[in-house]
Amino acid sequence: VGQKAELTFDAIQDLKIAGTVITVDLVGTISQGVVNYNVELSLDEQDERIKSGMSVTADIKTETTQNVIIVPNSSVKTQGRMSYVEVFENPLPMIRGSAPITSSIPPVQKKVEIGTSNDSFTEIISGINEGDQVVVRTITTTVVAKTTPTIFSAAGVGNRNIGGSTRPSTTGAPRN
């Protein structure tokens, strides 16, 4: 209760309205083996196009973190209780676009402390700095012994929102 939400309507293209959670059912209902909790929201503004009974998607902001470093989820590895990312001690030249970078120098593991995450990104609390080159994916071919890492520059963003709905969101574009 009290969390902010952004509502989008299936029948009204490009309409987004801010709202606030005012009630959440204490007891869920089971439908096809999934427990659902009804949530009631108040709209911050009215729009005459909205009709009773319309389908709506609510993106509820459950957490906001400011001034954080984020990396793609695929770059975070775990070994026991330790989390780490692979980085290059000497930065590689960056190529714009999604072209993989080939390196004969292997990356090194850097222990990181992770924070919150959503479907795409994980917050890094400590262990790397903004701009560090993080390996997102490594492709090793058996015919030619070479490793092709996909690189992502650790991004700092002003605000990072973790959504509690089916569509978590990240606010702020990663800086490269």
Side-chain angles (χ1 to χ4, degrees):
V1 173
Q3 292 175 325
K4 292 296 184 183
E6 181 179 79
L7 296 102
T8 54
F9 298 83
D10 295 347
I12 309 170
Q13 221 172 13
D14 300 324
L15 176 63
K16 292 182 180 183
I17 293 184
T20 305
V21 175
I22 55 174
T23 64
V24 178
D25 282 355
L26 296 176
V27 178
T29 57
I30 299 173
S31 175
Q32 297 179 348
V34 177
V35 180
N36 294 291
Y37 293 87
N38 289 321
V39 175
E40 189 175 335
L41 299 140
S42 67
L43 303 179
D44 290 355
E45 62 185 79
Q46 299 300 317
D47 188 302
E48 68 279 351
R49 297 174 291 173
I50 300 172
K51 307 294 182 215
S52 180
M54 282 184 147
S55 295
V56 64
T57 299
D59 187 8
I60 301 171
K61 308 296 183 224
T62 58
E63 183 175 342
T64 300
T65 309
Q66 306 230 354
N67 300 319
V68 299
I69 293 176
I70 60 170
V71 296
N73 291 341
S74 61
S75 65
V76 180
K77 314 283 189 289
T78 55
Q79 210 169 41
R81 291 183 165 184
M82 182 186 83
S83 295
Y84 67 92
V85 295
E86 293 179 322
V87 298
F88 289 95
E89 290 184 326
N90 296 318
L92 300 174
M94 292 300 289
I95 300 172
R96 291 282 179 216
S98 60
I101 297 173
T102 302
S103 173
S104 58
I105 302 168
V108 296
Q109 291 181 3
K110 270 209 153 170
K111 183 179 174 184
V112 293
E113 182 182 352
I114 60 172
T116 57
S117 63
N118 63 16
D119 288 345
S120 304
F121 294 96
T122 298
E123 172 188 7
I124 302 297
I125 296 171
S126 66
I128 62 170
N129 298 306
E130 182 177 346
D132 285 354
Q133 292 179 337
V134 177
V135 176
V136 177
R137 175 181 54 211
T138 302
I139 302 168
T140 304
T141 58
T142 54
V143 177
V144 178
K146 72 177 181 179
T147 300
T148 306
T150 301
I151 307 298
F152 176 86
S153 285
V157 295
N159 295 314
R160 182 170 176 279
N161 296 316
I162 303 297
S165 71
T166 56
R167 290 186 306 165
S169 69
T170 300
T171 303
R175 296 186 307 238
N176 289 330

